Amino acid sequence: MPESTVLVLGSDPPPKLDRLTGRARVVHADAATLADRLRTADVLLAWDFTSDAIRQAWPVAGPRPGWVHTASAGVDRLLCPALVADDTLVTNARGVFEQPIAEYVAGLVLAMAKDFHGSWELQRQRRWQHRDTRRLAGTHAVVVGSGPIGRAVGTTLKALGVTVDLVGRRERTGDPQFGTVRASGALRPLLGGADWVVCAAPLTDATRGLFGPETFAAMRPGGHFVNVGRGPLVDEDALVAALRSGHLAGAALDVFQQEPLPADSPLWDAPGLIVSPHMSGDTLGWREALAEQFVDNFDRWAAGEPLENVVDKRLGYVPVR
């Protein structure tokens, strides 16, 4: 096979691409140069998965890469009508972030149940104040998103003694881990019985704004909410209102409608809210794991073999097998 051109979107050079030496010419682009260089690339690696440049630069006609890989689980930042309509394959980083995110969610749930924030604040004040905290075992969680991340979150919470309802796009029975995966239409009635609601859904037209005033109102008073999916899944003003009113006892957001979160955002001061800067899946070595995954898939592509993690572009995610 002749040498291919791999175009990398991003200023931070990925590790491990030396494995492509002799088989591919690696070219870098930023938002300003992407449109011109797309037409000469065989493969596009969206290393900067926070960029919207692909949506803006993707050619409607003419030459374009035959394969796009994004170094993220979500593909909402790159899908556009022209890319969805053509025959370019899109793959994602499924398999890298699931367990780290599940551990992060478990840590947040434990922190809220055991009031670690209160302990840290009392320590700062040098106050000895005994309190009772919640037992996690026997509580109930609703995890929204039945893909690999949601499944990993649900499995990890179950290991802590939490009962879990998993919610997906459609109902499925006979699931080996969760019995029945609930349909998205059944979400609202489930919320009233949940101590913990975890959003790990992909961002699609159907899920945008999924958690708004009515959804938060349907949650159990004193419940807790965690979002590790995408920022636009949540109406942030409605979440702040639910926290300020005391209807929700606490929440944690790792993703936001605008990132970085502006310094004047009311989320910083919302009572009971834990803010983290989109880091739930980022553990030591995650960049190396992402690059290794891309190179392994490139080996398949160069050999004419089926690629791993092919996204259904019309759904916006890798379908569950």
Side-chain angles (χ1 to χ4, degrees):
M1 180 178 181
E3 187 177 62
S4 303
T5 297
V6 174
L7 180 62
V8 180
L9 173 62
S11 57
D12 176 25
K16 298 182 179 292
L17 293 194
D18 57 324
R19 277 179 50 188
L20 302 183
T21 301
R23 297 186 295 155
R25 182 173 68 99
V26 178
V27 180
H28 291 266
D30 57 19
T33 60
L34 181 64
D36 288 337
R37 296 180 181 176
L38 272 174
R39 299 182 183 277
T40 60
D42 299 295
V43 178
L44 172 62
L45 168 57
W47 188 248
D48 180 4
F49 51 79
T50 67
S51 174
D52 294 320
I54 296 172
R55 278 203 312 240
Q56 298 161 2
W58 192 261
V60 175
R64 80 283 307 279
W67 168 36
V68 177
H69 177 80
T70 179
S72 65
V75 296
D76 51 279
R77 302 300 292 263
L78 59 92
L79 289 183
C80 60
L83 176 53
V84 170
D86 70 24
D87 58 0
T88 296
L89 292 174
V90 174
T91 58
N92 73 353
R94 177 175 176 167
V96 174
F97 296 113
E98 288 90 307
Q99 193 54 37
I101 292 176
E103 293 170 3
Y104 200 87
V105 171
L108 291 170
V109 170
L110 280 166
M112 290 188 282
K114 303 305 179 184
D115 191 29
F116 289 161
H117 176 78
S119 294
W120 291 327
E121 178 60 25
L122 290 167
Q123 178 180 346
R124 188 186 66 82
Q125 299 175 19
R126 298 176 179 265
R127 291 174 56 196
W128 182 275
Q129 182 177 322
H130 182 273
R131 291 111 59 225
D132 294 337
T133 62
R134 297 189 67 178
R135 182 177 179 179
L136 198 57
T139 61
H140 183 68
V142 170
V143 178
V144 182
S146 61
I149 292 175
R151 295 184 69 85
V153 168
T155 300
T156 302
L157 291 178
K158 286 178 68 175
L160 295 171
V162 180
T163 61
V164 176
D165 275 316
L166 189 65
V167 178
R169 188 169 63 93
R170 65 182 189 278
E171 182 173 305
R172 301 194 303 273
T173 59
D175 186 272
Q177 291 174 291
F178 299 96
T180 298
V181 176
R182 310 287 184 176
S184 57
L187 173 61
R188 196 69 58 83
L190 293 173
L191 295 175
D195 301 286
W196 320 98
V197 176
V198 181
C199 181
L203 179 61
T204 66
D205 290 342
T207 60
R208 188 178 297 271
L210 177 63
F211 286 91
E214 294 181 357
T215 320
F216 290 126
M219 287 180 58
R220 170 184 290 179
H224 296 74
F225 175 75
V226 177
N227 185 21
V228 290
R230 284 290 185 265
L233 295 166
V234 176
D235 180 332
E236 294 172 349
D237 291 337
L239 176 60
V240 170
L243 290 166
R244 286 179 175 169
S245 71
H247 179 68
L248 295 184
L253 298 180
D254 185 56
V255 288
F256 303 87
Q257 292 185 15
Q258 182 177 347
E259 297 181 8
L261 187 65
D264 60 354
S265 170
L267 292 170
W268 291 109
D269 300 315
L273 179 62
I274 298 171
V275 169
S276 61
H278 204 149
M279 58 181 281
S280 60
D282 300 346
T283 53
L284 295 175
W286 67 281
R287 292 173 180 83
E288 288 74 12
L290 286 172
E292 188 80 26
Q293 181 186 60
F294 169 72
V295 173
D296 287 347
N297 232 5
F298 181 88
D299 291 342
R300 296 183 182 88
W301 184 80
E305 299 173 356
L307 298 180
E308 296 286 338
N309 298 349
V310 176
V311 173
D312 183 321
K313 293 185 290 183
R314 299 194 182 277
L315 292 177
Y317 51 85
V318 179
V320 177
R321 295 174 181 174

